[in-house]
Amino acid sequence: MGKKFSPERLASLRRMRMARRLFKKQPLFGYCMMLEAYPDYTHAQFLDDLRYRRPPKSRKGKNGIQKYGRYCRMEELLHRYRQDGNIAHALKAQKLRERMAKPYRVRVTIGPHRLEYGFSPLVPIAHIEHLVGNLGRCSTEQEADRLVQQFRETAHIR
């Protein structure tokens, strides 16, 4: 069931809880009220009773680039580089890091016409690659425009 507290320890815990409760209710008169209950109580003890003993909970800082669509691919390439030491993976990851916050530029050539579309950098790179594969099979500009419009409407849902 655990170790029992000594009577002195229990008395100090009760005094500390009382000091905190009184300070929350009446910050100006909390010390005076504690003096009435405990005649030999000092101001230093009052301040020590108000002090919290535990350190504040540490929080892990957020990584600002995780929200971008190229981040997962960059992490994957760095992991591969650490596993096999292939420098090509590290160079690809470095290029992705340089372009992390830049919008995607998708270029499509259909016959004599070249089309270029821009997309948000927050879209995952796998979705963009899937779109590029689908655009490669398009035979007309209207079909490509329809496919891109459909992608823009559903890209945030995937």
Side-chain angles (χ1 to χ4, degrees), residues 74-86 89:
M74 182 190 76
E75 285 292 316
E76 178 186 319
L77 288 168
L78 287 175
H79 180 69
R80 284 189 205 164
Y81 169 68
R82 287 186 198 110
Q83 282 182 335
D84 60 13
N86 187 353
H89 295 307

Side-chain angles (χ1 to χ4, degrees), residues 22-23 25-36 46:
L22 287 175
F23 183 75
K25 285 184 180 179
Q26 297 177 348
L28 294 176
F29 303 107
Y31 175 65
C32 295
M33 297 171 96
M34 286 296 292
L35 275 177
E36 291 173 7
F46 180 67

Side-chain angles (χ1 to χ4, degrees), residues 4-129:
K4 301 276 184 185
F5 286 128
S6 68
E8 296 86 22
R9 173 87 174 146
L10 288 173
S12 71
L13 286 172
R14 286 187 193 107
R15 187 191 72 212
M16 183 175 61
R17 282 196 300 268
M18 184 178 177
R20 288 180 181 171
R21 186 174 59 246
L22 287 175
F23 183 75
K24 275 186 183 177
K25 285 184 180 179
Q26 297 177 348
L28 294 176
F29 303 107
Y31 175 65
C32 295
M33 297 171 96
M34 286 296 292
L35 275 177
E36 291 173 7
Y38 300 98
D40 58 340
Y41 196 61
T42 65
H43 192 264
Q45 286 176 319
F46 180 67
L47 293 178
D48 189 52
D49 284 343
L50 294 179
R51 177 180 60 87
Y52 281 93
R53 275 31 177 204
R54 281 193 190 141
K57 193 173 185 180
S58 62
R59 294 182 180 162
K60 185 180 174 186
K62 292 187 177 182
N63 188 351
I65 63 173
Q66 281 184 341
K67 64 183 177 185
Y68 293 108
R70 295 177 177 105
Y71 181 78
C72 290
R73 179 65 53 83
M74 182 190 76
E75 285 292 316
E76 178 186 319
L77 288 168
L78 287 175
H79 180 69
R80 284 189 205 164
Y81 169 68
R82 287 186 198 110
Q83 282 182 335
D84 60 13
N86 187 353
I87 196 74
H89 295 307
L91 292 174
K92 285 181 187 176
Q94 184 179 3
K95 269 193 177 175
L96 285 175
R97 177 63 183 97
E98 289 169 2
R99 298 176 183 160
M100 187 71 62
K102 294 181 181 175
Y104 294 105
R105 290 173 49 195
V106 176
R107 295 181 184 144
V108 182
T109 304
I110 298 175
H113 303 289
R114 299 187 96 184
L115 305 172
E116 184 172 328
Y117 301 102
F119 297 100
S120 168
L122 304 177
V123 178
I125 195 167
H127 299 319
I128 296 291
E129 289 172 345

